[in-house]
Each structure stands twice: as structure tokens, then as C-alpha cells.
Amino acid sequence: MKYLDEYRDEAPIRRTAQEIKRIASRRWRVMEVCGGQTHSILRNGIHQLLEGSVEFLHGPGCPVCVTPISFIDRAIAIAGQPGVTLCSYGDMLRVPGSRESLLSARAGGADVRTVYSPLDALLLAQRQPDRKVVFFAVGFETTAPANAMAVLQARRLGISNFLVLSAMVLVPPAIRALLATPEVGVDGFLGPGHVCSVAGSSDYEAIAQDFRVPFVITGFEPLDLMEGVLRLVRQLEAGETCVVNQYSRSVRAAGNLRARQAMNEVLVPEDREWRGIGVIPGSGLTVSPEYRAHDALAAYGMGLPAAEEGNGCIAGLILQGLRKPADCPAFGKNCSPEHPMGATMVSSEGACAAYFAYPSVSPDSLQEVRS
């Protein structure tokens, strides 16, 4: 299969790993920004193949994981309003708020439904015009265009009962916030390939220059990631701080112009709280005043107090690369995918879920290569 099998071929993966270990003069601390990359690294044993030369830190690259408790509380409160149907993705329904999750709110009588896209929610609004259908939108630049397109489609079709509760966030402000935190200590970044497919690479070029740190925009297959690490280690060994695009089969410097146009028409940046991290200036996307009729916050603007993790969960530290999942006393004991204490174990892209799913992948197996 073109663009797939060749990136799962075991021989070049092992050759690239050997080259990385040959040129690495020290153990470099590399952060991948996307949860999909985290899972591929763990699933394929890449972290073990590079042990001693590269330490992987796992960044805030899962939209479900970074959605703050206060936003989940707000979604639950909106779902409890008369005549409201609240829709979101399955993982989002399981994440705990300060008192309960959206799933438990559904068990208590709220009309909460699982959807697979914003268009599913829009179709639901079209089919039941007597109810307000609120889509709880989470995600990065990758999913924001589809959410924006749903709003544009709602306006075009005159569907006035479709609203968006926007918890969408942007990656570059979060990376800047991490780099401004001295304890984080990242030497270089594997840039998020899917996000850059939409947004392009210019934001990362500015960060690389401002913080003197290299980036390699990388895909998700094992050879993608291994090549990304090799190009990153080469920069680090040479003292360079450039942005290199390993994922050229998908990413262009300017990104996807049509997708960006939809985002820019419907959504505007704002300061946003990230779960376990705090408020990051300019890191959120909210519905613009022009589309206020489809903004759930404008319709149900209920102020709720900020809420903190209260169960000993260290997800906030894990999302900043300050701790690993196994550092948590509850990992694999009181906290598991069946009984999650925090968002990083709930989400299918969460770092804790990855460590739980692939606890002992051997570098001799390269599971995905052989699957």
C-alpha cells in the first residue's frame, strides 16, 4: 500500500535507529506534541529502540485530555437545560468533571448523545427543530475547520437550533507556554503532522527562532517518527534550530488554505484554560461575534468557578512532560481505562492510555510493522 507499507518496513526502521544511536553524543530529550504520535511510539517500541540516545517526553497533544474540568462542568450544565440535546465524541463523554461526567449526567436524565462528527450533530438539529442541539467541540487545528464548516452549513440551510460549545485549542501557544517553563527542559520537538497539514509550519518557524529549539514536523508511521528523530538529532548535534518537514507528503508551508479560511471566518482566538496547565494566552478558539447565533456560550452563558483535579491525578504534569504515566502511584492500580481517574487515561490518544495498552512492547517485535 503506497505511503503506508514503506513506512512500516522493519529494515529501514532499524537502520535509522542505528544511525541515531551512532551520531547521538548524549541522551536528547525529545517531545512529541500529538497523542497519535505518542501511541505510535509506544505501540512500535520506538522508545526502546532508541533507549540511551533519546528520551521521549509526551506533550499536551490530546484535545480530550486538555479540556478543563470547568468546561466539562459547563457542558453538563447546558445538557441539563430544558429542550437541549448535547452531543460530543465518545471519549469526551467519559472524562470526569468536578462532580460527574457527561455519561453520568445522561444516566441522570440529560439528553447527551455520542456523535462521530459535527455534521452528525447538525443533522440531528435538522431532524428535531423543536430542540436546541449543542455540539461540544474539542480539538486542535485539525478538527476546527470541520466544526467551522458545520456552522457555515447551518447558516446556509437556516438551521438556527444548532449551536457549538467551543473548547477548541491551538498548538503553537501551548508550545510557547511549555518552553517558557524552565522545568520542562525539552531539547527538540517532533511537530504534529496533522495539525501542520491544516495550519502550515510558519508558526513553528517563529517559535524555533524565538526559543532556539529545533522542530521536525513528522508523520505517524514508525519510519516517519524514526526519520523525524534522526533529523532532529542531527540538528541538535550541529547546534541548529530549524523547522524541517519530514511529513512532506501531507504538509505544505502554508497549510490548507480552504480549511484555514473556514476557521478564520467562524472562529476567533481567545485566552483559554488547559486542564492541569492553566490559562494560556491566545490558545483557544471561540465562535466569532458574526456567528453568535450558533454560539452555545452566548445562549447559555453560565459562569462557573474554576475547578481543580481533586483525586491525586497527575495528568497536568504528564501533559507538560514533567512526569511519565508510570510515575503516578495510581497508574494501573486505582486508575485504568475501565476505571479512569483522569483524562490522560480516558482518552484513546492519552499518554496514560498508551502506557497501559503497550506496557511491554519489545523492540524485537515492532508490532505494527508485522500487522
Side-chain angles (χ1 to χ4, degrees):
M1 184 181 296
K2 189 170 177 58
Y3 297 136
L4 192 58
D5 291 344
E6 61 267 48
Y7 290 94
R8 298 180 177 181
D9 189 344
E10 183 170 345
I13 293 170
R14 292 191 178 280
R15 284 197 301 271
T16 309
Q18 291 168 0
E19 177 64 7
I20 293 168
K21 295 178 82 76
R22 187 188 70 79
I23 67 174
S25 62
R26 48 164 283 197
R27 190 186 194 200
W28 295 105
R29 291 164 61 86
V30 171
M31 176 175 278
E32 81 279 358
V33 182
C34 176
Q37 293 174 335
T38 303
H39 277 251
S40 186
I41 288 167
L42 271 292
R43 183 168 59 243
N44 294 290
I46 291 172
H47 59 307
Q48 293 171 311
L49 279 171
L50 299 179
E51 192 168 8
S53 300
V54 173
E55 177 186 4
F56 287 99
L57 307 177
H58 315 303
C62 165
V64 171
C65 298
V66 302
T67 301
I69 293 174
S70 59
F71 243 103
I72 297 170
D73 288 346
R74 184 173 287 113
I76 292 170
I78 291 174
Q81 297 299 304
V84 168
T85 297
L86 189 130
C87 306
S88 196
Y89 303 117
D91 283 355
M92 198 67 248
L93 270 53
R94 300 178 61 220
V95 180
S98 61
R99 295 181 302 278
E100 61 177 338
S101 67
L102 282 162
L103 271 186
S104 56
R106 181 167 73 183
D111 188 359
V112 176
R113 305 192 191 188
T114 302
V115 293
Y116 297 97
S117 80
L119 293 180
D120 290 343
L122 181 61
L123 183 61
L124 190 62
Q126 194 172 27
R127 288 174 174 170
Q128 50 179 38
D130 56 327
R131 296 184 66 82
K132 298 288 187 184
V133 176
V134 177
F135 177 62
F136 186 16
V138 300
F140 298 112
E141 294 92 327
T142 319
T143 55
N147 299 333
M149 289 296 295
V151 173
L152 293 172
Q153 184 76 344
R155 171 174 283 193
R156 188 179 72 82
L157 297 175
I159 303 173
S160 60
N161 62 325
F162 173 75
L163 299 93
V164 171
L165 174 62
S166 175
M168 292 175 275
V169 290
L170 300 166
V171 172
I175 293 178
R176 284 185 175 275
L178 288 177
L179 287 170
T181 304
E183 297 83 4
V184 172
V186 178
D187 296 313
F189 285 88
L190 297 178
H194 288 170
V195 166
C196 293
S197 296
V198 173
S201 59
S202 60
D203 287 339
Y204 300 90
E205 290 165 359
I207 296 173
Q209 295 309 309
D210 290 347
F211 290 91
R212 306 300 301 166
V213 62
F215 282 78
V216 177
I217 297 168
T218 310
F220 298 82
E221 299 300 330
L223 187 55
D224 282 322
L225 291 161
M226 200 63 86
E227 286 182 348
V229 173
L230 175 59
R231 296 183 189 191
L232 198 57
V233 171
R234 282 175 175 162
Q235 283 198 67
L236 290 166
E237 293 290 338
E240 298 172 349
T241 54
C242 301
V243 175
V244 174
N245 181 13
Q246 182 276 336
Y247 202 33
S248 58
R249 65 187 186 278
S250 179
V251 174
R252 302 290 180 270
N256 184 320
L257 296 180
R258 292 188 64 185
R260 291 176 60 184
Q261 182 180 12
M263 283 176 57
N264 294 336
E265 180 172 348
V266 176
L267 306 170
V268 292
E270 68 171 8
D271 298 348
R272 177 64 53 78
E273 179 189 359
W274 292 53
R275 189 170 189 145
I277 299 176
V279 175
I280 300 177
S283 66
L285 288 173
T286 192
V287 179
S288 74
E290 171 69 20
Y291 291 88
R292 182 182 174 85
H294 297 284
D295 184 359
L297 281 181
Y300 303 99
M302 48 195 68
L304 292 171
E308 301 290 337
E309 300 278 2
N311 58 3
C313 178
I314 66 168
L317 298 174
I318 293 171
L319 292 167
Q320 297 175 78
L322 296 171
R323 294 287 187 277
K324 299 287 182 63
D327 296 332
C328 179
F331 177 79
K333 301 170 185 172
N334 300 331
C335 184
S336 67
E338 291 76 22
H339 302 286
M341 293 174 60
T344 48
M345 185 64 89
V346 173
S347 171
S348 59
E349 292 189 358
C352 292
Y355 276 75
F356 191 92
Y358 314 110
S360 58
V361 173
S362 165
D364 293 330
S365 67
L366 285 174
Q367 288 187 352
E368 192 171 62
V369 175
R370 294 176 178 175
S371 64

